[in-house]
DNA sequence: ATAGGGTTAG
């Protein structure tokens, strides 16, 4: 159209083209459209504005989205607010999303079900149960329609926040369910180790002729993996092929996991050679140094710049007290100019999320937090644990321990929780860092010495520690 | 004829 020279695009044309870019998403093309719109003088149109805002929000360019949003000043309507909140939610900037949600109400704009999807999904990402519950109450109070998408977001939120029963209630109340809704429920149940329920739901889904997709099978296969159902898992894998559903990288990963957990390491190895990293994770506790060596070699050949590989292998060595190798990994990272984005733990107190990263001294109450860490260490020592375990809980001088273990984000978050919350007795910590070998052991010990329940959620599922007993099915 | 939303292993 531009090449033909006529007709000239108008605000409709640009808005539609922007939507296309947002859907792909295609940031480069979108930016060209932005300048095109500017040259054509179409930028002031509210539809072009929200088109641009949404383009940047969907491309996870929150700074750009925010600048468009700020430029809209008086023209901010429901769509603009929702799109911006969705942008923050998408990149995990939960507090920003929720602040904006409050600003929106203060500005007198009433949220609708689309807005609430982003808000609920922000709570899900954060594992913020109290917030999520109060937002759900808000939805009911305002009479906002809980439609298909919002129900799915609620299922996901309750599942990720640990209330699988509530997730189930939302699912059961739905009048219409599509593939994503079923998948959210199945993945949620799998995450909680409820394989039987997950598989029952899946077979109901098939009976109702709802077509599953690869995400559904992630739930199904991980449910099998968590519960040692190798044969079932392999059967579902065939089902997936028979249904013509193309396996994603994650699906392959589930299979490797499934086989490794049942001790079938050699089968996993030959199952698919491209999933070297999964193999590396799974061979952590297998003493198969041959597989560890080969997989890490392959990994570094394939992805020399991916910090996860270095962290994973470093933690693996730390777990086996091979400190010279840990040091070597650090050096190798430095030499290859690889930097790690620190893992983050967060804890929700009075509807606000406090985030911690490893060795982070920037928290305003860090002094008090360190006091609690020391107090925890004392208690742990008194309750008969090895000095080493206690040393893990607060800063240690010895280089080796320091490398692997000092002031983990999770411990900082737990200490802060103990500092700020007397009741209820449950501490919920959300953790992003993967491949962390010692966290769950330590959480269990802290839980026992304080007689308080600590729930740690990582990307995998919940680990519940109650006074020393552990309901986690395959506690490492 | 125009805008915003949900599920993804370890």
């Amino acid at each position: 159209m531009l090449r033909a020279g006529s007709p000239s695009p108008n605000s409709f044309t640009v808005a539609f083209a922007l939507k296309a870019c947002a859907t792909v998403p295609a940031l480069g093309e979108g930016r060209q459209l932005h300048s095109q719109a500017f040259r054509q003088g179409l930028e002031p149109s509210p539809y072009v504005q929200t088109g641009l805002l949404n383009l940047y929000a969907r491309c996870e360019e929150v700074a750009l989205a925010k600048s468009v949003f700020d430029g809209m000043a008086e023209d901010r309507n429901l769509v603009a607010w929702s799109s911006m909140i969705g942008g923050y939610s998408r990149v995990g900037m939960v507090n920003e999303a929720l602040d904006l949600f409050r600003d929106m109400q203060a500005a007198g704009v009433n949220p609708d079900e689309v807005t609430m999807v982003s808000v609920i999904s922000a709570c899900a990402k954060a594992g913020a149960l109290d917030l999520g519950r109060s937002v759900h109450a808000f939805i009911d109070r305002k009479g906002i329609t809980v439609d298909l998408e919002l129900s799915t977001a609620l299922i996901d939120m309750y599942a990720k926040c640990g209330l699988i029963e509530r997730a189930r209630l939302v699912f059961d109340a739905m009048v219409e369910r599509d593939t994503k809704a079923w998948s959210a429920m199945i993945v949620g149940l799998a995450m909680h180790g409820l394989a039987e329920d997950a598989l029952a739901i899946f077979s109901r889904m098939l009976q109702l002729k709802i077509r599953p997709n690869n995400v559904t099978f992630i739930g199904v296969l991980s449910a099998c993996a968590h519960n040692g159902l190798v044969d079932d898992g392999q059967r579902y894998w065939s089902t997936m092929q028979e249904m013509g559903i193309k396996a994603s990288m994650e699906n392959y990963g589930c299979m490797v996991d499934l086989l490794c957990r049942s001790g079938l390491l050699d089968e996993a190895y030959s199952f698919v050679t491209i999933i070297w990293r999964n193999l590396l994770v799974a061979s952590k506790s297998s003493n198969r140094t041959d597989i560890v060596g080969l997989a890490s070699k392959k990994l570094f050949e394939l992805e020399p710049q991916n910090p996860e590989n270095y962290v994973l292998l470093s933690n693996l060595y730390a777990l086996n007290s091979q400190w010279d190798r840990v040091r070597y990994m650090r050096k190798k990272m430095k030499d290859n100019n690889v930097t790690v984005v620190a893992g983050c733990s967060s804890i929700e107190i009075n509807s606000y999320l406090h985030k911690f990263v490893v060795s982070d001294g920037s928290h305003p109450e860090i002094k008090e937090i360190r006091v609690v860490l020391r107090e925890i260490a004392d208690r742990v020592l008194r309750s008969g644990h090895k000095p080493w375990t206690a040393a893990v809980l607060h800063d240690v001088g010895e280089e080796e321990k320091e490398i692997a273990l000092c002031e983990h984000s999770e411990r900082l978050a737990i200490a802060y929780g103990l500092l700020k919350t007397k009741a209820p007795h449950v501490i919920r910590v959300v953790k992003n860092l993967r491949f962390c070998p010692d966290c769950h052991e330590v959480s269990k010990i802290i839980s026992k010495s304080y007689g308080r329940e600590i729930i740690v959620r990582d990307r995998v599922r919940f680990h519940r520690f109650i006074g020393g007993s552990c309901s986690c099915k395959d506690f490492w």
Side-chain angles (χ1 to χ4, degrees), chain A residues 6 9 17 36 69 72 116 138 169 189 198 259 282 287 311 320 363 398 415 451 473:
Chain A
S6 76
Q36 190 67 238
F69 182 73
M72 293 178 75
M116 298 321 292
F138 173 92
L169 287 177
L189 290 164
L259 294 164
N287 288 328
V311 174
N320 296 316
H363 195 279
E398 228 179 303
K473 287 228 167 62

Side-chain angles (χ1 to χ4, degrees), chain A residues 53 64-73 76 80-81 84 100:
Chain A
L53 167 54
L64 288 172
K66 185 67 167 36
S67 71
V68 175
F69 182 73
D70 288 341
M72 293 178 75
R76 283 177 205 152
W81 284 101
M84 193 66 230
L100 207 61

